[in-house]
Amino acid sequence: MSSSIPAIPAGSTRGSQGGSMTMGELLELPPAVSVATAAQALGIGKDKAYALIKADRFPARVIRLGATTRVATASLWDALGVKG
């Protein structure tokens, strides 16, 4: 996992418009999310997220279900320093 991803402070007000999520949005995520949603949470683009997955360097646990790729929310929280 990369250590360069900043933790989101508990009082963060960054919203979807800024390319990342608020703490409330993060805590409301289902157990597994799309790569696009995980990328938004990390504040990176979807293409960058897929490139990291392909290089086996994505900072959260990736779940491959046939042609579908999901990201485990609990490991996404860990990568962001979020306590769920």
Side-chain angles (χ1 to χ4, degrees):
M1 288 190 196
S2 172
S3 61
S4 64
I5 297 173
I8 296 175
S12 175
T13 57
R14 291 184 293 172
S16 302
Q17 295 175 351
S20 58
M21 297 180 169
T22 65
M23 182 63 70
E25 290 171 328
L26 284 169
L27 294 175
E28 291 176 1
L29 293 174
V33 296
S34 68
V35 173
T37 298
Q40 181 183 4
L42 293 166
I44 62 174
K46 185 173 67 168
D47 292 341
K48 177 67 173 178
Y50 277 108
L52 290 170
I53 289 169
K54 185 176 181 180
D56 201 27
R57 295 188 46 134
F58 196 74
R61 192 171 128 239
V62 175
I63 304 164
R64 291 184 174 86
L65 305 164
T68 302
T69 302
R70 306 288 284 178
V71 177
T73 299
S75 73
L76 181 60
W77 288 343
D78 287 344
L80 291 167
V82 173
K83 303 293 183 209

